[in-house]
Amino acid sequence: MPSRTPSAPDAATTAARSTRDRLLDAVEQLLAEAGPRAATLDAVAAAAGVSKGGLLYHFGTKDALVEGLLGRLRTLAQEDLARMRSAPEGAARYYVRTSVVASGDPLQRATIAALRLVQDADRRAVEAFTEISEAWRVAIEEELGDRALSRVVQLVGDGLWMSASMGVVPPDVEEVLAALPGLPAAG
Amino acid sequence: MPSRTPSAPDAATTAARSTRDRLLDAVEQLLAEAGPRAATLDAVAAAAGVSKGGLLYHFGTKDALVEGLLGRLRTLAQEDLARMRSAPEGAARYYVRTSVVASGDPLQRATIAALRLVQDADRRAVEAFTEISEAWRVAIEEELGDRALSRVVQLVGDGLWMSASMGVVPPDVEEVLAALPGLPAAG
DNA sequence: GACCGTTGACCGTCCAGACGGTACAGTCGT
DNA sequence: ACGACTGTACCGTCTGGACGGTCAACGGTC
């Protein structure tokens, strides 16, 4: 039996979810802005406006907290995948465009936080990321039909993620998209 | 008085340089293979076959050790930049091709180690990386003359670095290169 | 050429603080 | 009364760093 959440597995109470989510928000923020070393239990609790005991009430261990973060990432990624497949501009363009940071996007926040964990050699984060990355690749390849070009599109996206996680100003997306050949016309 | 290297600033004795380099090799390896958390002073010293005291003789603080690593990275990057500009296949192709991991390449080892530090929110690592990345971009843009395309080339390279640091099997470089338009013919 | 002080390279141990986690008694809203 | 917390005190372990000691090599000097 893995570490359990205190509430029922299906739908938690509003208050519980709210605190739980605030805790996950706090880990994400600390990971993204200050790195894994700064994301201590004390710091996370403080950033969420909760006591350490309160944090440990929701997530019994630090591992459980990470698991919670990755779970949220998977959920958001799956939702994004659906949006991606039905995007009028096409999956490839959608992917590249949503790989530049618009601060506030929940998926992007979660992704960058997970990226930090990946570089901290967290096995589960690597697994989650590989899995999600794979799903994105499949969706892009489904649209483009060209393996090599799909790789390029995804590498560009990965590159954007990397510069995002470094806090570098991203290049103009439209310019980049224009320089990529073989993408179906937008709209 | 800040921590200084024991030997003379110009040419150290053979034995001293050897130990120093072994220590830097050890940090790189630990960072790349096990992440920043595993790169403790004890672990680095052990991996280099030196006692902790011995490590601290060469690098007075952990910061100094990191500084040493980044110094080595800068040197290697500068050497690579020269090779890149004189590469017969052209700077862009050279850059993409050398962005896939061939384990054993000193620059790649140092780069991946530094990438881990970047994600650990190490300011100096971010600075070093930004600086090097900028130099690469300039070299590519000098060759291609096209800003947008240069961005794409570099993003692809960054993407390759990212998958490398995640331990993912890299895509076929030649395939990727073939899917990139506008690159001057090789040779 | 035996003695000796110095120096550079390195070892081993110790310490303070931080961190993850436990325990538990108390509080507040519903 | 019960779930959702707060607050404090505490433990064991790890980590960066300080520190004193060891030892071989070298240079001078008588």
Side-chain angles (χ1 to χ4, degrees):
Chain A
M1 211 111 341
S3 62
R4 68 278 115 99
T5 24
S7 326
D10 42 6
T13 72
T14 333
R17 279 211 60 200
S18 168
T19 297
R20 213 187 114 96
D21 276 342
R22 265 186 7 247
L23 285 167
L24 291 179
D25 290 346
V27 210
E28 282 181 7
Q29 188 200 340
L30 282 166
L31 280 173
E33 292 174 14
R37 271 196 163 87
T40 66
L41 293 186
D42 277 307
V44 170
V50 174
S51 72
K52 190 179 177 180
L55 190 167
L56 289 167
Y57 175 79
H58 288 281
F59 300 98
T61 63
K62 198 177 189 185
D63 271 6
L65 186 61
V66 169
E67 212 86 55
L69 175 67
L70 295 179
R72 178 195 259 190
L73 172 64
R74 277 185 227 260
T75 304
L76 289 170
Q78 222 148 13
E79 290 170 14
D80 183 70
L81 209 63
R83 252 173 286 142
M84 188 170 161
R85 287 189 206 270
S86 63
E89 60 183 333
R93 282 178 194 278
Y94 178 90
Y95 178 71
V96 171
R97 191 169 280 127
T98 56
S99 289
V100 307
V101 258
S103 61
D105 184 296
L107 174 58
Q108 289 179 344
R109 287 178 64 89
T111 303
I112 289 181
L115 255 173
R116 294 271 159 118
L117 290 177
V118 166
Q119 301 291 12
D120 206 29
D122 185 303
R123 269 195 321 108
R124 290 155 316 171
V126 172
E127 281 171 30
F129 217 85
T130 310
E131 183 188 316
I132 292 169
S133 193
E134 180 71 10
W136 276 333
R137 213 209 65 226
V138 169
I140 294 169
E141 206 167 319
E142 270 175 18
E143 184 201 26
L144 298 184
D146 184 319
R147 206 179 71 185
L149 181 57
S150 305
R151 293 270 190 189
V152 170
V153 168
Q154 198 173 20
L155 285 173
V156 167
D158 290 352
L160 286 169
W161 284 118
M162 210 185 87
S163 55
S165 74
M166 281 182 51
V168 173
V169 275
D172 182 5
V173 207
E174 300 307 327
E175 203 181 61
V176 168
L177 278 172
L180 275 175
L183 297 190
Chain B
M1 211 107 350
S3 63
R4 64 278 129 88
T5 23
S7 326
D10 42 4
T13 71
T14 335
R17 279 212 59 199
S18 167
T19 297
R20 215 186 114 98
D21 276 343
R22 267 189 359 252
L23 285 167
L24 291 179
D25 290 345
V27 210
E28 282 182 5
Q29 188 200 339
L30 282 165
L31 280 174
E33 292 174 13
R37 270 193 162 87
T40 65
L41 294 185
D42 275 309
V44 170
V50 174
S51 77
K52 192 178 177 181
L55 190 167
L56 288 168
Y57 174 78
H58 289 282
F59 301 98
T61 63
K62 197 175 189 184
D63 271 6
L65 185 61
V66 169
E67 212 88 55
L69 176 65
L70 294 179
R72 177 193 261 191
L73 173 64
R74 278 185 227 258
T75 304
L76 290 171
Q78 223 147 12
E79 290 171 12
D80 183 70
L81 209 64
R83 251 173 287 143
M84 189 169 160
R85 288 190 206 269
S86 63
E89 58 183 336
R93 282 176 196 278
Y94 177 90
Y95 178 71
V96 172
R97 192 169 278 126
T98 55
S99 289
V100 305
V101 258
S103 59
D105 184 295
L107 173 59
Q108 290 180 344
R109 286 178 66 89
T111 303
I112 289 181
L115 254 173
R116 293 270 159 116
L117 290 177
V118 165
Q119 301 291 9
D120 207 27
D122 185 302
R123 268 195 319 107
R124 290 154 315 169
V126 172
E127 281 170 30
F129 217 85
T130 310
E131 183 189 315
I132 293 171
S133 194
E134 181 71 10
W136 276 333
R137 213 209 66 228
V138 169
I140 294 170
E141 207 168 318
E142 269 175 18
E143 184 202 26
L144 298 183
D146 183 321
R147 204 180 72 185
L149 182 56
S150 305
R151 293 270 190 191
V152 170
V153 168
Q154 197 173 23
L155 285 172
V156 168
D158 289 353
L160 286 169
W161 284 118
M162 208 185 88
S163 55
S165 74
M166 279 181 54
V168 173
V169 275
D172 182 4
V173 207
E174 300 308 325
E175 203 180 59
V176 168
L177 278 171
L180 276 174
L183 297 191

